């Protein structure tokens, strides 16, 4: 049903203490039921008894150096022998990292989101640089509902690289950019493109997540500046980010507080040819609504639903990160809206779900914004 892609069986209760007899039996049973796959678990304790095929560990060391009394220098990942306490190297998998050490919302200011990006990149770079680490799994893919003691006051755990409606935060592109350009070109500047968003009204440094060979950045009518991936800080990543700073752009060009703010243009090149372009407006204006559904057709006679996303766009088609107007939703036909019919945009995006109600026919969905008018689409139920 969910098309699982299973690479390893977890045979330990999440972050539990060792239990020799119990975990001997869970390993035996997993190997008996499926001799084709390895076993692992999810640990948080050092020098744990290794009964599985792979030593699996939640490594949240990045950020722990900020805790009182912790004198450890900054490291992205710990050395596996320090973790395992073993005299030899063993198959080793990092099952979680980042997460609660740096929860980040899609609505957070640009600087926090840029640091969120950097923390994911540092671990990925350390993973690629250590042949004794088989992989690292970021905690986690998407924000999720949780209990009141663990959320951000809204009962949502903001540990994902996607928000709770699966809309990407900037950090999601840290992963997308590691694919090869032939699979899809990625060019994502980590910026809201506003003079006063960052401390001291600085614009630089500016991270561009990309799998291009290099990026040309142009501010207003000034000549474009060519910038290559940051191999100094990310020597092991398949595709290091491009980091634009005052080494590449003269301070007199981009200016400071009180100076004219202009359009930005980012062009990505592969094999010397331009393959992607992002244009950012220096005078962004709310211009249009975008309404998309995950599914054009749903099934009748069973419980079925689809997600709908509404985006507030500027004149260049970019999401407006400070748009937070109310949105009215109207659903007609053989379906019901899950949740209220009046919601608010968050950082320029709103999401909701529509569920079938048993019959067949056409579902009509209309969304309305005071500033941006209405948008409609239809979904068929068969």
């Amino acid at each position: 049903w969910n098309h699982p892609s299973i690479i390893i069986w977890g045979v330990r209760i999440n972050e539990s203490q060792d239990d020799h007899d119990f975990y001997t039996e869970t390993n035996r049973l997993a190997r008996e039921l499926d001799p084709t796959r390895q076993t692992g678990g999810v640990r948080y304790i050092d020098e744990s008894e290794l009964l599985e095929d792979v030593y699996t560990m939640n490594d949240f060391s990045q950020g722990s150096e900020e805790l009182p009394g912790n004198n450890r220098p900054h490291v992205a990942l710990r050395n596996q022998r320090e973790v395992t306490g073993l005299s030899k190297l063993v198959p080793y998998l990092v099952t979680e990292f980042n997460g609660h050490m740096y929860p980040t919302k899609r609505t957070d200011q640009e600087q926090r989101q840029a640091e969120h990006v950097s923390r994911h990149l540092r671990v990925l770079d350390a993973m690629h640089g250590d042949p004794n680490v088989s992989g690292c799994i970021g905690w986690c893919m998407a924000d999720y509902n949780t209990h009141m003691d663990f959320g951000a006051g809204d009962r949502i755990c903001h540990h994902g690289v996607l928000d709770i409606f699966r809309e990407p935060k900037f950090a999601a592109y840290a992963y997308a950019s590691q694919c090869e350009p032939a699979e899809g070109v990625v060019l994502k500047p980590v910026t809201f493109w506003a003079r006063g968003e960052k401390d001291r009204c600085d614009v630089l440094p500016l991270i561009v997540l990309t799998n291009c060979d290099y990026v040309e950045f142009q501010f207003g009518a000034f000549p474009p500046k060519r910038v290559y991936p940051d191999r100094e800080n990310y020597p092991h990543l398949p595709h290091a980010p491009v980091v634009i700073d005052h080494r590449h752009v003269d301070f007199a060009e981009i200016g400071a507080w009180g100076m004219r703010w202009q359009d930005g243009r980012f062009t990505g090149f592969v094999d010397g040819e331009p393959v992607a372009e992002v244009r950012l407006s220096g005078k962004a204006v709310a211009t249009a609504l975008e309404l998309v559904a995950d599914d054009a057709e749903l099934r009748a006679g069973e419980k079925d639903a689809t997600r709908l996303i509404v985006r507030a766009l500027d004149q260049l088609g970019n999401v407006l990160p400070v748009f937070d107007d109310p949105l009215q939703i109207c659903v007609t036909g053989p379906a019901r809206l899950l949740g209220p019919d009046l919601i608010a945009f968050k950082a320029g995006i709103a999401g909701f779900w529509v569920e079938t109600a048993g019959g067949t026919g056409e579902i009509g969905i209309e969304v309305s914004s005071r500033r941006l008018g209405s948008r409609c689409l239809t979904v068929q139920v068969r």
Side-chain angles (χ1 to χ4, degrees):
W1 180 273
N2 293 310
H3 308 291
S5 180
I6 299 167
I7 60 168
I8 189 170
W9 290 112
V11 297
R12 295 175 64 98
I13 296 171
N14 184 59
E15 294 194 337
S16 59
Q17 299 293 322
D18 285 346
D19 188 323
H20 177 82
D21 292 343
F22 181 42
Y23 288 139
T24 296
E25 177 61 14
T26 58
N27 274 277
R28 183 201 65 78
L29 183 60
R31 290 163 180 153
E32 176 184 300
L33 293 170
D34 182 1
T36 69
R37 291 181 176 88
Q38 295 171 307
T39 61
V42 179
R43 293 175 174 80
Y44 78 103
I45 54 174
D46 291 352
E47 300 185 16
S48 169
E49 182 182 20
L50 179 58
L51 298 170
E52 301 79 36
D53 300 309
V54 180
Y55 194 107
T56 42
M57 183 68 174
N58 290 352
D59 188 343
F60 289 104
S61 55
Q62 183 176 219
S64 64
E65 68 274 4
E66 301 161 4
L67 298 174
N70 193 333
N71 295 319
R72 171 186 290 278
H74 181 88
V75 293
L77 289 177
R78 297 167 63 191
N79 180 278
Q80 76 147 273
R81 285 184 178 174
E82 175 190 343
V83 173
T84 66
L86 300 173
S87 60
K88 63 178 182 179
L89 294 170
V90 295
Y92 186 78
L93 174 68
V94 176
T95 40
E96 294 179 21
F97 69 88
N98 206 46
H100 66 286
M101 304 304 285
Y102 207 77
T104 303
K105 305 176 183 69
R106 203 173 50 75
T107 55
D108 282 343
Q109 69 169 150
E110 181 183 314
Q111 278 174 285
R112 185 171 186 89
Q113 296 203 55
E115 175 61 19
H116 189 224
V117 165
S118 297
R119 291 186 180 218
H120 280 275
L121 287 173
R122 286 194 288 264
V123 173
L124 294 177
D125 183 74
M127 175 195 73
H128 281 285
D130 188 344
N132 301 309
V133 176
S134 61
C136 292
I137 304 169
W139 183 264
C140 57
M141 183 188 79
D143 298 346
Y144 56 93
N145 292 307
T146 189
H147 54 80
M148 63 182 296
D149 297 326
F150 200 51
D154 53 5
R155 301 186 186 227
I156 295 176
C157 203
H158 296 277
H159 296 175
V161 296
L162 312 178
D163 71 10
I164 201 165
F165 279 100
R166 305 306 196 257
E167 283 294 284
K169 304 172 190 177
F170 287 117
Y173 297 93
Y175 293 86
S177 61
Q178 299 314 306
C179 74
E180 293 306 309
E183 301 175 65
V185 174
V186 177
L187 183 66
K188 186 65 175 181
V190 181
T191 179
F192 292 168
W193 200 246
R195 173 80 78 190
E197 168 64 16
K198 297 171 74 171
D199 293 349
R200 301 177 303 278
C201 294
D202 285 341
V203 180
L204 305 177
L206 198 161
I207 301 169
V208 182
L209 297 166
T210 186
N211 52 8
C212 294
D213 296 337
Y214 58 86
V215 170
E216 287 191 352
F217 167 63
Q218 184 172 19
F219 180 70
F222 289 101
K225 306 297 191 296
R226 179 174 296 184
V227 188
Y228 288 87
D230 182 6
R231 286 294 171 197
E232 180 181 350
N233 291 302
Y234 304 99
H236 308 297
L237 279 175
H239 298 285
V242 166
V243 181
I244 302 168
D245 57 28
H246 288 298
R247 294 173 300 175
H248 314 106
V249 181
D250 189 276
F251 182 80
E253 291 181 2
I254 205 158
W257 179 85
M259 298 182 70
R260 183 184 175 197
W261 187 237
Q262 302 185 60
D263 293 354
R265 184 191 301 266
F266 302 81
T267 307
F269 288 78
V270 174
D271 295 331
E273 298 295 326
V275 294
E277 181 182 84
V278 174
R279 296 171 58 212
L280 300 175
S281 174
K283 296 180 179 178
V285 177
T287 302
L289 286 180
E290 180 183 57
L291 173 63
V292 294
D294 284 347
D295 306 280
E297 186 174 302
L298 299 176
R299 296 178 298 274
E302 61 181 278
K303 192 179 182 70
D304 201 4
T306 191
R307 178 192 67 147
L308 293 106
I309 294 293
V310 190
R311 302 182 182 96
L313 307 179
D314 68 11
Q315 65 270 39
L316 296 180
N318 298 311
V319 172
L320 290 157
V322 293
F323 192 90
D324 58 1
D325 284 18
L327 180 75
Q328 186 72 49
I329 307 165
C330 179
V331 175
T332 58
R336 65 176 65 91
L337 172 66
L338 300 179
D341 62 2
L342 185 64
I343 60 176
F345 283 93
K346 290 186 177 181
I349 298 176
F352 59 95
W353 287 78
V354 169
E355 181 183 69
T356 56
T360 61
E362 186 175 88
I363 303 171
I365 299 131
E366 180 181 13
V367 295
S368 303
S369 160
R370 179 182 58 83
R371 278 200 280 173
L372 297 177
S374 299
R375 206 75 166 166
C376 301
L377 62 72
T378 59
V379 173
Q380 300 296 323
V381 182
R382 302 187 192 282

